[in-house]
C-alpha cells in the first residue's frame, strides 16, 4: 500500500462512491397541545419553538432544521388546528394547512391520551384531501396501554393511508430516533437548503420575542388571556460584548396590563429574569432585557400585527 503512487491514490479516491445528500420539508400538524413544539425541539436538538401550557401557543410556522445521517430535515412546526372563532384563529388554521400542502412530507402528531376525538378527528378528515406522503406519530405512549395504542393506530390508518406509524414520547425521546432514521432515508435526494450549523430560519429578534411570550404564558397562563403579543422593538449590540434588548408586551385592556405587571411589578420582573437567562444562553453573551407593557385595543384586527407574526391577514 505504501508503494502506491500519488496518481494511483488519487484515482482510487475518485472511484469511491459518494453518498448522495437528501433534504426536504416535513410539516408537523396536529391538534392544539398535542406536543408539536416539544417534538420539534427534541428532533432538532435545540430550542426553536416555544412551549407552554397555553393552547395555540405556536401562531406562525416555525422551521427547525436537523441534520441526520446525510439528510437535512426541515421541520415546520405549524399552529395547532382547531375550530376557529376569531380572525387570529382563522389565520393560524389557514397557515397550518398551507404549511402542510407546501411540504415534502406530512407528520400527523396525535396525543395518545386524547385519542382521535374532536380536532384530531377533523384533521384526519382534512388529510384525505392532501396528497403528500403522510406518517402518523402517536405521542405520550408512556401514558396509554399498548392495546389502546394499537387501536388508535388501526383507526387512524383506516381513515388515512399513512406510509408508516410511529409511537413516541416527545418528552423523553423514546422512539424519536426511528422517526429520524425513516425521514432521512425517505426525503428526496438534493442539496441542503440551509448551512450545516443553522437550526432555525426564525430571525433572532423574533425568536427573542417568542421566548419572552413563552415566559409570559408560563407565568400567567391562567390569568392572562390568549390575546397578548410580544414585539422586539430595539436590539443594540454594545461594545462590551453584551446586547441591550427592548421588548413590548401588548395587551388589549388596562386590567390585563395590571396582570402582566403584577403586584409591585413582581410578575414582569420574574418574566424578564426568566427570558433574559434563556436569551443569554442562546446568544452566548450577556443580555440586558427591558420589558414594557402597553395597551393596544383590538390588536387582533390590525394587519400590521399579523405581518409581524408571519401570518396572512384574513379578510
Amino acid at each position: 500500500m505504501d508503494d502506491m503512487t500519488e496518481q494511483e491514490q488519487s484515482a482510487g479516491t475518485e472511484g469511491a462512491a459518494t453518498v448522495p445528500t437528501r433534504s426536504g420539508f416535513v410539516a408537523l400538524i396536529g391538534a392544539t397541545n398535542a406536543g408539536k413544539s416539544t417534538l420539534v425541539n427534541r428532533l432538532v436538538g435545540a430550542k426553536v419553538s416555544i412551549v407552554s401550557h397555553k393552547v395555540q401557543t405556536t401562531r406562525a410556522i416555525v422551521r427547525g432544521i436537523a441534520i441526520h445521517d446525510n439528510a437535512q430535515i426541515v421541520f415546520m412546526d405549524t399552529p395547532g388546528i382547531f375550530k376557529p372563532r376569531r380572525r387570529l384563529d382563522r389565520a393560524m388554521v389557514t397557515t397550518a394547512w398551507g404549511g402542510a400542502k407546501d411540504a415534502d412530507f406530512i407528520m400527523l402528531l396525535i396525543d395518545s391520551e386524547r385519542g382521535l376525538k374532536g380536532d384530531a378527528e377533523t384533521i384526519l378528515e382534512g388529510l384525505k384531501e392532501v396528497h403528500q406522503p403522510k406518517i402518523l406519530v402517536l405521542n405520550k405512549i408512556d401514558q396509554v396501554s399498548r392495546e389502546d395504542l394499537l387501536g388508535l393506530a388501526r383507526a387512524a390508518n383506516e381513515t388515512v393511508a399513512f406510509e408508516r406509524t410511529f409511537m413516541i414520547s416527545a418528552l423523553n425521546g423514546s422512539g424519536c430516533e426511528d422517526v429520524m432514521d425513516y425521514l432521512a432515508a425517505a426525503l428526496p435526494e438534493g442539496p441542503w437548503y440551509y448551512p450545516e450549523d443553522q437550526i432555525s430560519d426564525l430571525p433572532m429578534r423574533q425568536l427573542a420575542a417568542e421566548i419572552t411570550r413563552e415566559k409570559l404564558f408560563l407565568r400567567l397562563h391562567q390569568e392572562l388571556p390568549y390575546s397578548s403579543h410580544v414585539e422586539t422593538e430595539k436590539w443594540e449590540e454594545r461594545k462590551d460584548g453584551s446586547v441591550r434588548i427592548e421588548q413590548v408586551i401588548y395587551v388589549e385592556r388596562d386590567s390585563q396590563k395590571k396582570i402582566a405587571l403584577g403586584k409591585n411589578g413582581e410578575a414582569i420582573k420574574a418574566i424578564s429574569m426568566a427570558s433574559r437567562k434563556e436569551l443569554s444562553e442562546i446568544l452566548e453573551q450577556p443580555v440586558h432585557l427591558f420589558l414594557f407593557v402597553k395597551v393596544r385595543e383590538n390588536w387582533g384586527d390590525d394587519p400590521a400585527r399579523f405581518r409581524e407574526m408571519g401570518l396572512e391577514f384574513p379578510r
Side-chain angles (χ1 to χ4, degrees):
M1 195 70 169
D2 293 338
D3 296 332
M4 284 181 68
T5 67
E6 194 175 312
Q7 217 171 11
E8 287 171 328
Q9 289 174 346
S10 174
T13 304
E14 287 173 9
T18 55
V19 180
T21 58
R22 296 178 179 271
S23 60
F25 291 83
V26 178
L28 185 53
I29 68 169
T32 56
N33 271 9
K36 296 187 300 300
S37 296
T38 302
L39 180 56
V40 166
N41 292 339
R42 166 72 62 180
L43 297 178
V44 172
K47 178 77 161 281
V48 294
S49 194
I50 70 171
V51 181
S52 85
H53 307 294
K54 201 91 168 172
V55 297
Q56 297 124 38
T57 304
T58 301
R59 287 176 173 167
I61 291 177
V62 176
R63 292 177 181 85
I65 305 156
I67 306 297
H68 191 77
D69 296 336
N70 61 317
Q72 185 179 72
I73 309 168
V74 184
F75 291 101
M76 303 160 67
D77 181 12
T78 63
I81 297 173
F82 57 102
K83 187 175 180 180
R85 296 182 179 84
R86 301 162 299 174
R87 178 173 271 139
L88 177 59
D89 296 344
R90 294 202 310 275
M92 289 163 55
V93 170
T94 300
T95 297
W97 280 117
K101 290 170 182 175
D102 288 341
D104 297 291
F105 251 87
I106 295 171
M107 184 190 306
L108 172 62
L109 187 66
I110 296 288
D111 180 333
S112 298
E113 285 187 291
R114 284 188 274 170
L116 303 181
K117 297 174 287 187
D119 293 331
E121 186 177 23
T122 303
I123 295 166
L124 274 172
E125 288 299 318
L127 279 177
K128 290 179 180 179
E129 308 302 317
V130 180
H131 302 297
Q132 283 93 330
K134 296 170 276 288
I135 62 174
L136 173 67
V137 178
L138 301 180
N139 190 24
K140 304 180 184 178
I141 58 170
D142 49 336
Q143 306 295 320
V144 181
S145 71
R146 179 172 174 77
E147 187 179 329
D148 287 344
L149 285 170
L150 292 173
L152 270 177
R154 188 164 50 248
N157 277 275
E158 285 172 358
T159 306
V160 174
F162 291 102
E163 305 285 326
R164 285 282 298 272
T165 297
F166 296 91
M167 300 184 183
I168 67 143
S169 168
L171 206 56
N172 65 31
S174 174
C176 290
E177 191 74 9
D178 294 336
V179 176
M180 295 295 280
D181 287 343
Y182 176 79
L183 290 173
L187 287 175
E189 290 184 12
W192 291 355
Y193 291 99
Y194 299 94
E196 188 172 355
D197 59 352
Q198 187 171 339
I199 61 168
S200 174
D201 70 343
L202 204 61
M204 192 50 68
R205 289 170 69 105
Q206 194 176 339
L207 178 61
E210 287 289 277
I211 287 169
T212 298
R213 188 162 67 94
E214 176 189 61
K215 306 312 175 192
L216 178 74
F217 284 164
L218 287 173
R219 173 83 185 191
L220 300 170
H221 73 278
Q222 291 181 324
E223 303 156 73
L224 196 67
Y226 173 66
S227 55
S228 53
H229 176 55
V230 180
E231 290 182 16
T232 301
E233 295 213 329
K234 290 186 180 178
W235 186 292
E236 179 192 353
E237 298 284 346
R238 307 179 72 173
K239 291 180 181 178
D240 63 1
S242 67
V243 58
R244 176 190 170 94
I245 303 171
E246 293 184 14
Q247 295 178 330
V248 178
I249 298 169
Y250 287 104
V251 294
E252 291 188 314
R253 291 188 291 278
D254 281 321
S255 58
Q256 296 168 8
K257 181 177 180 178
K258 290 176 183 175
I259 293 170
L261 291 172
K263 187 177 180 181
N264 299 321
E266 290 175 1
I268 198 74
K269 286 176 188 173
I271 293 162
S272 178
M273 190 179 301
S275 184
R276 183 171 61 246
K277 181 177 183 295
E278 186 160 330
L279 283 170
S280 296
E281 292 170 359
I282 290 173
L283 296 171
E284 297 181 342
Q285 64 186 123
V287 171
H288 308 285
L289 178 63
F290 298 87
L291 299 183
F292 306 90
V293 183
K294 294 182 181 179
V295 176
R296 179 187 277 156
E297 293 182 6
N298 300 319
W299 73 262
D301 294 323
D302 183 353
R305 303 283 73 75
F306 281 71
R307 285 195 296 273
E308 179 74 23
M309 290 185 285
L311 296 171
E312 286 189 23
F313 185 73
R315 301 295 173 184

